């Protein structure tokens, strides 16, 4: 019994640390966690390969070459007009001359050329009346460019272009606002995916320990509040390990992809502070959601019941994400303030604000508010679990009005 007396003298933080260290080691060195880490990597690798193959196929499928099958003089005039215009006009096609058409016009068939070649359209006729042969999409894609070049070649359009004087600015308020929305959306989406992927582990945590009576030993030795806090921070530590592993693979995929990856505009607070706030808001969001998941999992009696409860919880979190995503489009509005105050949507809304606004003080206030919500939710979840499941406290009175005693640890 000396071990139990020593454990009972542990402070709140010491007891939480004992639980966190125990759960962290148990989960981190389990085979199930190894396969959990591998799970998201397969769709990422398959998606990257599919994206690369699809991009290559799309690049090969794009046809930008227009074939000329007019007279030699018209062909040369149109080629000269193309060389003149290409330095000043974007979106002009590549032009190739079909020698067969100039040698034997009587037997030339544009349709036959298109069936055996990789040209977009074939241009016949004259400069005054060019004729385009091809599919409907390709004809309407290139008819404007061919019309311009034919007008230049025939002298109906100018062949010299004025020099444009550029007066550049780095950015404008409207441009910065519109481009930073993409960074805010990407941050919110990444935060949501990580939380949904990792917070689900919390749901089944207490069910397993209730089944093998481990939770009874913990409840008899240390306060239930410490048990909940320890389990939450252990799961948060495991989540950071998973994110680090996935991040290494992400960096490798990004290095292989190179410049084909989309670039995001720099957030208003700069990338270092934005990433730091992203880590903090992920931690706060994970702890808030995890405290609710831990309470729900503690109320469940079987793993099947946990699986049944996980779907409505996930749908509710999806609605919260949509609220924060919609509120992001109108900063400073009552809806955006509501999303920033509501605990479940606050991390998403504040991360979007970090991408769009350069103010620091709202984030300090939001972090304090979210930490307070974590403490309240964990305290409420532990109290509910102790009274409803462990049958102790005011909610655990027996039929004769006597208070039920807490479950004690088995002694040898």
């Amino acid at each position: 019994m000396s071990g139990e007396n020593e454990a009972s003298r542990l402070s709140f933080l010491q007891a939480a640390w004992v639980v966190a260290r125990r759960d962290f080691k148990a989960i981190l060195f389990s085979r199930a966690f190894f396969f959990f880490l591998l799970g998201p990597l397969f769709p990422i690798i398959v998606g990257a390969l599919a994206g690369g193959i699809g991009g290559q196929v799309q690049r090969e499928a794009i046809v930008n070459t227009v074939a000329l099958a007019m007279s030699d003089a018209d062909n040369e005039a149109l080629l000269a007009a193309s060389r003149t215009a290409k330095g000043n006009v974007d979106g002009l096609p590549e032009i190739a001359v079909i020698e067969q058409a100039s040698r034997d016009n009587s037997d030339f068939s544009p349709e036959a050329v298109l069936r055996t070649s990789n040209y977009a359209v074939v241009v016949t006729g004259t400069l005054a009346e060019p004729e385009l042969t091809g599919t409907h999409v390709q004809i309407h894609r290139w008819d404007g460019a061919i019309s311009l070049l034919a007008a230049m070649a025939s002298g109906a359009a100018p062949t010299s272009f004025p020099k444009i004087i550029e007066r550049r600015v780095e950015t404008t308020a409207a441009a910065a606002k519109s481009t930073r929305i993409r960074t805010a959306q990407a941050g919110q989406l990444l935060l949501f995916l990580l939380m949904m992927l990792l917070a689900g582990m919390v749901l089944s945590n207490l069910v397993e320990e209730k089944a093998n009576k481990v939770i009874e030993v913990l409840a008899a030795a240390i306060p239930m509040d410490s048990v909940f806090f320890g389990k939450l921070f252990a799961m948060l530590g495991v989540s950071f390990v998973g994110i680090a592993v996935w991040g290494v693979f992400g960096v490798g995929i990004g290095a292989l992809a190179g410049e084909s990856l989309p670039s995001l505009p720099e957030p208003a607070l700069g990338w270092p502070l934005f990433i730091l706030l992203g880590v903090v808001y992920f931690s706060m969001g994970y702890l808030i959601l995890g405290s609710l998941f831990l309470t729900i999992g503690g109320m469940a009696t079987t793993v099947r019941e946990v699986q049944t409860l996980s779907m409505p919880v996930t749908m509710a979190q999806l609605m919260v994400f949509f609220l924060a995503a919609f509120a992001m489009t109108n900063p400073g509005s009552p809806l955006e303030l509501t999303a920033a105050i509501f605990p479940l949507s606050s991390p998403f809304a504040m991360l979007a604000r970090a991408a769009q606004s350069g103010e620091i003080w709202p984030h300090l206030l939001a972090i304090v508010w979210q930490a307070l919500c974590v403490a309240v939710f964990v305290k409420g979840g532990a109290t509910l679990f102790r009274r409803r499941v462990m049958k102790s406290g005011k909610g655990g009175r027996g039929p004769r009005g006597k208070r039920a005693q807490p479950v004690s640890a088995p002694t040898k």
Side-chain angles (χ1 to χ4, degrees):
M1 299 296 292
S2 60
E4 294 180 14
N5 294 332
E6 183 179 355
S8 63
R9 292 195 297 268
L10 293 176
S11 66
F12 173 82
L13 293 179
Q14 288 175 330
W17 168 251
V18 170
V19 175
R21 183 177 57 186
R22 165 189 170 274
D23 282 18
F24 181 80
K25 291 181 178 179
I27 296 173
L28 190 64
F29 297 105
S30 64
R31 288 175 294 180
F33 181 69
F34 174 75
F35 288 104
F36 175 79
L37 288 179
L38 292 180
L41 295 179
F42 288 110
I44 292 176
I45 295 174
V46 172
L49 292 175
I53 295 173
Q56 181 65 27
V57 171
Q58 186 177 10
R59 286 190 294 269
E60 293 294 333
I62 295 176
V63 179
N64 295 325
T65 304
V66 171
L68 299 184
M70 298 186 290
S71 64
D72 291 342
D74 290 346
N75 288 344
E76 289 298 329
L78 206 121
L79 283 171
S82 176
R83 288 190 292 267
T84 302
K86 270 198 172 179
N88 301 277
V89 180
D90 294 330
L92 295 179
E94 297 293 330
I95 295 179
V97 177
I98 301 178
E99 302 295 339
Q100 177 188 358
S102 60
R103 291 196 302 266
D104 189 4
N105 285 323
S106 59
D107 297 333
F108 178 75
S109 172
E111 292 82 0
V113 171
L114 291 174
R115 284 194 294 267
T116 58
S117 64
N118 200 31
Y119 296 128
V121 293
V122 176
V123 183
T124 56
T126 63
L127 294 178
E129 294 182 351
E131 298 178 7
L132 273 66
T133 303
T135 63
H136 175 78
V137 174
Q138 294 289 7
I139 290 175
H140 283 273
R141 181 185 178 191
W142 298 117
D143 56 355
I146 297 302
S147 178
L148 172 64
L149 295 178
M152 291 175 59
S154 61
T159 57
S160 62
F161 299 88
K163 183 178 179 181
I164 301 298
I165 300 176
E166 298 182 0
R167 300 183 63 181
R168 298 182 180 179
V169 294
E170 291 297 327
T171 186
T172 62
K177 179 180 178 181
S178 61
T179 55
R180 284 172 180 167
I181 287 181
R182 289 193 295 141
T183 304
Q185 289 175 331
Q188 283 187 338
L189 182 60
L190 180 61
L191 188 64
F192 173 75
L193 292 177
L194 289 177
M195 286 176 58
M196 283 293 95
L197 186 63
L198 295 166
M201 294 188 298
V202 184
L203 271 173
S204 58
N205 186 272
L206 281 184
V207 177
E208 300 173 359
E209 296 195 346
K210 283 166 59 180
N212 55 25
K213 306 300 181 181
V214 173
I215 194 65
E216 297 180 5
V217 178
L218 292 175
I222 57 179
M224 187 56 63
D225 297 357
S226 299
V227 174
F228 268 51
F229 267 106
K231 287 184 174 297
L232 271 181
F233 279 93
M235 290 295 185
L236 181 62
V238 170
S239 299
F240 279 123
V241 173
I243 292 174
V245 173
W246 297 332
V248 171
F249 280 90
V251 170
I253 294 175
L256 293 176
E259 297 181 355
S260 61
L261 287 177
S263 60
L264 294 174
E266 184 176 3
L269 290 176
W271 281 115
L273 191 55
F274 181 76
I275 294 174
L276 177 62
L277 286 174
V279 173
V280 173
Y281 286 134
F282 169 77
S283 303
M284 290 300 173
Y286 185 89
L287 292 176
I288 291 173
L289 186 61
S291 62
L292 298 179
F293 279 7
L294 198 60
T295 303
I296 295 173
M299 296 295 103
T301 56
T302 61
V303 177
R304 178 178 297 180
E305 191 173 348
V306 169
Q307 295 173 347
T308 304
L309 292 172
S310 63
M311 181 57 69
V313 171
T314 303
M315 291 297 103
Q317 186 63 11
L318 187 61
M319 298 304 297
V320 169
F321 170 72
F322 286 150
L323 169 65
F326 182 73
M328 172 189 64
T329 59
N330 193 7
S333 64
L335 182 62
E336 197 259 351
L337 293 177
T338 302
I341 295 174
F342 186 61
L344 291 177
S345 60
S346 182
F348 301 107
M350 294 309 300
L351 186 61
R353 179 179 282 243
Q356 297 176 286
S357 175
E359 295 178 331
I360 298 294
W361 68 266
H363 300 284
L364 301 178
L365 187 62
I367 292 171
V368 172
W369 164 246
Q370 292 167 17
L372 179 62
C373 292
V374 170
V376 171
F377 288 170
V378 171
K379 178 66 176 179
T383 302
L384 184 63
F385 182 82
R386 183 172 56 248
R387 292 182 178 179
R388 299 297 181 185
V389 179
M390 303 304 297
K391 302 298 183 183
S392 63
K394 295 181 180 180
R397 296 186 181 274
R400 296 183 180 179
K402 296 181 179 181
R403 180 177 299 178
Q405 297 298 321
V407 179
S408 60
T411 57
K412 296 182 179 179

